[in-house]
Amino acid sequence: MTAINYAERIPNNVNLAHDRTLQRALEHWQPKFLDWWRELGPNDFAGNDVYLRTAVGVDAQGWASYGYVKMPDYRWGIFLADQVAERKIGFGDVYGQPAWQQVPGELRSQFRRLIVTQGDTEPASVEQQHLLGHTCPSLYDLRNLFQVNVEEGRHLWAMVYLLHAYFGRDGREEAEELLARHSGDADKPRILGTFNEPISDWLSFFCFTYFTDRDGKFQLKCLAESGFDPLARTCRFMLTEEAHHMFVGETGLGRVVKRTLEVMKELGTEDPEAVRRAGAVDLPLLQRYLNFWFSSSVDLFGSEVSSNAATTFANGIKGRPDEGQYADHVCTDATLAIAVPDGAGGVKEETASLRNAMNEVAREAYAKDCELGVRRWNMQIQRAGVDFRLALPSTRFRRQIGAWAGVPTDPQGRPIAREAYEQGLRGWLPSEADRSFVHSLMHRVVEPGKMAAWIAPPDRGVNNLAVDYEYVRLG
Ligand code: BYC
């Protein structure tokens, strides 16, 4: 296993001490990161001990070491998965060539753009979740929020390391900009749409970690295939941490469903208004939250047909998720049928070159993965004998990027008149009343083991500890 050197100011397993210039540049960025964290991270909890996981190595045994830490003292660092000896590039025109240890000059700006886009999402999510700690439904959930936050902070470090180490002055400037753009800022917003959406309630947080972190999973999988080996290794390690974020989303939403079903049973009714009066989240409301966050997150894959995507695939920059599962890694002649608007209120099928359709390939894999949780929640609902099913909307619904951007469809993806769409949205997306109801549920519950009334307890605690363990010492 590659041990992580914690004796240094910046923990790392990249032998930072041997590159004094890089080390100094990163040490120069570090206080700016900490200032940003203190200002826009979960700063009201800076003095509290939080039971956190910190990586001490990058293998299966080493990456999860638990203990109490005050968040500003968390050891953010640079951890790359172990190098695979003689790794070959697995796709594109450069298929079979040795992976690059440096960025090829002619691909520099494309790599920089992708690394900056990825890097931008990480601090954005911490900013979005900045105030959530005040309304946590339990200490267990509070701890999970903070775990997600510190790891997103570390993922920012992962991208900043690449920018500093491989992109010279441009890279250093981009690293500064990552701390200058802010989620929802009118003048300097974050790059991608979803990362400017506010997350001011925990139902949104669970949807975000279920849907948006899952986009992270698929984008990281694509970048983990990259011909640029340091990027591939960074993303491989980030994926191990990302899994926990999706766990938080899936179990969070599953616990909401469970509690709602309990309340329905207690009341002996499925009436959404009665469920609300009893302080739980009615299932139609949950469906509207799913519609909102899924449709926002599918935009993150970019356009269905994208010359950027074709170039990054051809050049060995960004592969498909789990590239190894495909037989053809070059894809010069392959095509993909894509449903696009026909301009007359209908749908037509267009045949795109597969290389141009790589964003769609990733989006389809993502949508399939999103279905798994929905199926599990529906099983809970079915077992409770309740006649309601949750469903993901079509990937055409409410798009702002790509072929379906601005095209009015219903949640099943059928094109409809704009008026019907505007009207329909009131029932398809959370209304002001829905949001204020959800906000009214957001009361802070911090007695160890206690849960807010709208969410069931988790099946188990963290790291085999009890659910009523004091995961955050608020003292
Ligand atoms: N909003 O040809 P197009 C995560 C831009 S999440 C705004 O359609 P392309 C995380 C695009 O940048 C994972 N702009 O697609 C989760 C381009 O602009 P420029 C984040 C958008 O180029 C939770 C233009 O539209 N990772 O890790 O193939 C918590 C035309 O683009 C959007 C990545 O994003 C949008 N939704 O781009 C924490 C991976 N979509 O350059 C973390 C890196 C597209 O022409 N990024 N645009 O000005 C990429 O791979 C690509 O940039 C995209 C698709 C996936 C975004």
Side-chain angles (χ1 to χ4, degrees):
M1 113 175 186
T2 310
I4 290 173
N5 187 345
Y6 271 96
E8 293 180 34
R9 220 164 106 187
I10 302 172
N12 72 90
N13 68 349
V14 293
N15 220 348
L16 198 54
H18 282 232
D19 187 341
R20 296 310 295 260
T21 316
L22 175 60
Q23 188 178 28
R24 266 198 300 273
L26 284 166
E27 285 179 358
H28 188 68
W29 187 80
Q30 189 177 36
K32 297 178 186 172
F33 167 81
L34 288 171
D35 284 347
W36 165 82
W37 177 270
R38 282 191 207 104
E39 193 191 341
L40 290 169
N43 47 11
D44 297 324
F45 298 85
N48 301 117
D49 287 319
V50 185
Y51 186 74
L52 290 177
R53 164 179 95 174
T54 308
V56 292
V58 292
D59 64 356
Q61 288 85 46
W63 71 280
S65 158
Y66 289 86
Y68 282 107
V69 182
K70 289 190 179 35
M71 282 185 283
D73 301 334
Y74 186 78
R75 302 303 312 276
W76 286 285
I78 300 157
F79 315 135
L80 271 58
D82 286 337
Q83 192 161 6
V84 174
E86 296 179 30
R87 177 173 167 248
K88 302 280 191 291
I89 302 170
F91 63 93
D93 293 339
V94 285
Y95 177 74
Q97 292 181 19
W100 312 303
Q101 298 310 320
Q102 292 293 331
V103 181
E106 68 281 13
L107 303 181
R108 214 177 144 81
S109 66
Q110 290 175 60
F111 267 118
R112 198 183 61 212
R113 176 178 158 273
L114 286 186
I115 292 168
V116 166
T117 307
Q118 177 64 46
D120 191 71
T121 63
E122 316 289 0
S125 69
V126 175
E127 293 170 352
Q128 287 170 291
Q129 296 159 19
H130 172 58
L131 292 173
L132 275 183
H134 292 292
T135 53
C136 62
S138 72
L139 273 191
Y140 165 88
D141 290 293
L142 185 63
R143 177 263 166 212
N144 280 345
L145 166 71
F146 293 156
Q147 183 71 56
V148 169
N149 288 166
V150 293
E151 285 175 354
E152 299 301 8
R154 206 203 67 69
H155 291 180
L156 170 61
W157 269 95
M159 294 301 126
V160 164
Y161 162 70
L162 294 176
L163 289 170
H164 272 245
Y166 297 97
F167 294 88
R169 194 186 163 153
D170 296 355
R172 290 195 294 278
E173 284 171 8
E174 292 284 14
E176 305 268 318
E177 285 297 297
L178 289 173
L179 297 177
R181 284 185 292 270
H182 297 308
S183 178
D185 192 296
D187 299 323
K188 271 190 157 228
R190 291 295 175 184
I191 297 172
L192 299 174
T194 314
F195 294 89
N196 290 303
E197 297 288 357
I199 305 181
S200 50
D201 65 76
W202 280 75
L203 194 58
S204 297
F205 172 66
F206 291 134
C207 288
F208 181 89
T209 41
Y210 186 78
F211 290 114
T212 313
D213 279 273
R214 194 173 306 273
D215 164 56
K217 167 181 164 182
F218 280 82
Q219 297 295 339
L220 291 174
K221 272 174 178 277
C222 295
L223 297 175
E225 301 289 339
S226 180
F228 177 37
D229 205 39
L231 173 62
R233 290 171 56 204
T234 300
C235 291
R236 259 168 46 217
F237 183 63
M238 287 163 76
L239 278 164
T240 56
E241 292 172 327
E242 203 68 39
H244 172 258
H245 307 181
M246 283 173 295
F247 164 87
V248 169
E250 176 164 355
T251 54
L253 292 173
R255 289 162 55 210
V256 171
V257 171
K258 185 172 174 192
R259 180 66 195 135
T260 300
L261 295 170
E262 283 168 6
V263 168
M264 283 178 173
K265 196 168 168 197
E266 283 160 24
L267 297 174
T269 173
E270 295 179 15
D271 174 23
E273 284 307 319
V275 171
R276 282 192 189 199
R277 279 195 300 274
V281 175
D282 54 288
L283 295 176
L285 169 57
L286 176 59
Q287 176 65 59
R288 291 194 281 278
Y289 269 67
L290 300 186
N291 289 347
F292 178 87
W293 285 101
F294 179 73
S295 56
S296 178
S297 301
V298 286
D299 263 343
L300 295 170
F301 289 84
S303 305
E304 283 73 5
V305 178
S306 162
S307 58
N308 285 340
T311 314
T312 53
F313 183 84
N315 291 341
I317 294 174
K318 184 179 169 190
R320 285 170 290 187
D322 304 305
E323 183 61 46
Q325 70 178 309
Y326 298 99
D328 172 11
H329 300 296
V330 184
C331 308
T332 30
D333 305 321
T335 57
L336 189 73
I338 294 184
V340 293
D342 66 3
V347 187
K348 66 175 182 188
E349 205 163 82
E350 234 172 47
T351 304
S353 123
L354 183 55
R355 283 184 171 193
N356 278 301
M358 288 306 176
N359 287 342
E360 191 58 12
V361 171
R363 183 169 19 243
E364 279 174 6
Y366 164 82
K368 241 192 201 165
D369 207 49
C370 287
E371 281 288 352
L372 300 177
V374 178
R375 236 178 275 160
R376 271 193 282 270
W377 305 324
N378 277 336
M379 263 154 59
Q380 281 175 255
I381 298 171
Q382 189 179 6
R383 271 200 303 269
V386 170
D387 185 22
F388 187 94
R389 295 293 175 268
L390 296 165
L392 292 182
S394 159
T395 53
R396 300 176 203 164
F397 174 65
R398 201 179 77 96
R399 290 289 298 279
Q400 287 171 12
I401 300 279
W404 291 93
V407 178
T409 81
D410 64 12
Q412 288 72 41
R414 291 180 294 241
I416 53 173
R418 178 152 306 274
E419 221 170 68
Y421 174 73
E422 302 291 348
Q423 253 191 359
L425 277 186
R426 285 183 222 149
W428 296 329
L429 296 182
S431 64
E432 277 309 311
D434 289 339
R435 288 192 189 277
S436 56
F437 169 69
V438 171
H439 278 252
S440 77
L441 298 179
M442 298 295 123
H443 293 295
R444 161 180 152 122
V445 177
V446 291
E447 198 181 315
K450 280 262 154 51
M451 299 288 139
W454 55 271
I455 190 164
D459 290 340
R460 57 190 74 82
V462 179
N463 193 28
N464 295 322
L465 294 173
V467 171
D468 64 2
Y469 188 75
E470 193 179 7
Y471 289 106
V472 184
R473 291 182 181 141
L474 293 172

